[in-house]
Amino acid sequence: MVALLMFAAVCCAAPVGNAISAYVALQTGATEDGGIAEGGSAADIPARMLMAYKKAVQRVGTHVPKCRGMRWPVLAGIAKVESNHATGHGIAGNGDIRPRIYGVLLNGSGAGGNTSVFPDTDGGRWDGTASGERAVGPFQFLPSTWDGVGEDGNGDQVADPHNADDAALGAAIYLCGNGRDLSKRDQLKAAIFQYNHSSEYVANVLGWIDQYTAAATGPDLGNASGKVRTVLEAALAQRGVPYSWGGGNASGKSYGICCSPSGKSGANINGFDCSGLTTYAYAKVGIRLPRTAAAQAGVGRRIPASLGTSALKPGDLVFYAYAPGRDSTIYHVGIYLGGGQMVNAARPGTVVRQDAVDAMSGYAGGARLL
């Protein structure tokens, strides 16, 4: 009960588990938040990696003609979680990545979260060891998986998972399956789940995909004007600012406090949590909000969850609860953008980003302040 009260006292999403499973846990470059690094606009992707993602999108149809909806943010979302776009490694003009990126040895030792033994399948050709199996490259393929999807993406007649072009093309082929339509959310989720059988992983990757999509296209604020537009622009301007438990106020980002239910401290992070972001954005139009998500549900005109998300309008607050219908259990708030999207400070280890409204669980309606 004490933990629950502390949880509601600030604002946050439900704790997230390790987003990288035993299959893809990195020996280096992984963070304690499961490989979710700060940043997330297109600017955080090395130019050569972004080129690889775009080339893969152009070429995947040759290998999976029935695939639809593949786009570079999908590949970027996967690579962000798997290796942070190979950040910290050199990327040559031909796409070769050095030093190579290796995951932990999957020998059931528990290191990196692995509990199963995977015998060697490549004689150490790709993973550098014949004593077992480990994931490799910026997309963290097991050698046995790579053997089925690996293709030459840079024209050197070698399909190398340690090459940006080859790895991105292999990932595109794998995600496409036998011909998915990745423009459909359910099929995109299925593709990501196939990549890593973890619902937390799927949620995190979808968050990055949505953020990169927003960075590539920008939200359409054509129908927003006046104070609503001011609120939305203020919130959107914070994209890429790190999540900080307890961080953010009417003046802007701030250092947070310790600690979230997952044990993450915001004390050394200058940023926003969910209600800190909404407090800041609405302060821009002279509206003072209470500090917690649950308290913010009592401001303005309440929009019941029973009306569905179609009742929301740009600028509305969007709430999520452990027990929808009981506002005392509200744990999260975002700002609705329109088109099923919101500005969101989701959880520790992420950044302020554009997310789908259904990216969070327990939709509890909204509130209209303007």
Side-chain angles (χ1 to χ4, degrees):
M1 179 61 72
V2 172
L4 180 59
L5 289 174
M6 181 180 178
F7 187 61
V10 188
C11 165
C12 181
V16 63
N18 192 338
I20 297 184
S21 72
Y23 294 81
V24 292
L26 299 179
Q27 284 182 315
T28 60
T31 73
E32 64 177 358
D33 296 305
I36 305 297
E38 294 179 2
S41 69
D44 83 323
I45 305 176
R48 186 60 184 83
M49 291 299 291
L50 183 58
M51 180 189 300
Y53 306 155
K54 292 181 177 180
K55 286 172 63 176
V57 171
Q58 295 173 347
R59 298 179 181 180
V60 69
T62 301
H63 303 278
V64 191
K66 294 183 179 180
C67 185
R68 298 290 182 269
M70 176 57 70
R71 48 203 171 86
W72 73 257
V74 173
L75 298 175
I78 294 286
K80 179 70 176 183
V81 173
E82 298 294 356
S83 69
N84 197 19
H85 308 299
T87 297
H89 298 255
I91 309 171
N94 70 348
D96 285 344
I97 297 172
R98 298 293 184 272
R100 292 180 168 185
I101 303 173
Y102 294 118
V104 298
L105 186 64
L106 300 177
N107 58 4
S109 68
N114 86 88
T115 57
S116 300
V117 177
F118 287 78
D120 177 68
T121 62
D122 69 335
R125 180 186 182 190
W126 299 125
D127 62 7
T129 177
S131 62
E133 199 89 326
R134 56 183 179 177
V136 298
F139 284 88
Q140 289 291 277
F141 281 105
L142 288 178
S144 56
T145 304
W146 182 252
D147 186 56
V149 300
E151 295 288 349
D152 173 24
N154 68 345
D156 65 357
Q157 309 304 311
V158 177
D160 182 352
H162 297 284
N163 177 275
D165 295 328
D166 297 359
L169 180 56
I173 292 170
Y174 188 69
L175 291 165
C176 281
N178 293 324
R180 291 190 177 99
D181 184 349
L182 300 177
S183 66
K184 296 181 178 179
R185 195 78 170 181
D186 59 339
Q187 294 191 41
L188 177 60
K189 288 181 178 180
I192 299 169
F193 189 79
Q194 176 184 319
Y195 210 98
N196 185 322
H197 293 179
S198 160
S199 58
E200 291 89 351
Y201 178 89
V202 172
N204 278 310
V205 170
L206 284 172
W208 290 114
I209 292 172
D210 289 341
Q211 185 172 346
Y212 288 126
T213 299
T217 62
D220 181 9
L221 301 183
N223 294 325
S225 61
K227 291 184 177 181
V228 170
R229 190 179 189 94
T230 298
V231 168
L232 296 181
E233 288 180 343
L236 286 166
Q238 306 312 308
R239 284 181 297 177
V241 173
Y243 183 100
S244 173
W245 176 262
N249 52 49
S251 299
K253 61 185 180 181
S254 68
Y255 288 95
I257 61 175
C258 185
C259 284
S260 75
S262 58
K264 308 303 182 184
S265 174
N268 296 315
I269 302 174
N270 194 22
F272 292 97
D273 66 11
C274 64
S275 56
L277 177 65
T278 55
T279 296
Y280 167 73
Y282 269 92
K284 290 296 185 180
V285 294
I287 295 177
R288 183 180 295 275
L289 291 178
R291 185 56 180 80
T292 67
Q296 289 179 4
V299 179
R301 180 165 70 85
R302 197 73 165 86
I303 302 167
S306 59
L307 297 179
T309 58
S310 62
L312 296 171
K313 292 184 178 180
D316 289 346
L317 295 179
V318 187
F319 299 107
Y320 300 85
Y322 293 115
R326 294 174 56 195
D327 283 0
S328 62
T329 69
I330 286 175
Y331 71 88
H332 192 74
V333 61
I335 302 177
Y336 189 63
L337 283 170
Q341 300 288 304
M342 65 178 172
V343 189
N344 193 25
R347 60 179 66 87
T350 65
V351 298
V352 177
R353 64 197 189 191
Q354 183 174 331
D355 267 339
V357 171
D358 64 4
M360 313 297 294
S361 61
Y363 175 65
R368 186 159 301 147
L369 282 62
L370 295 170

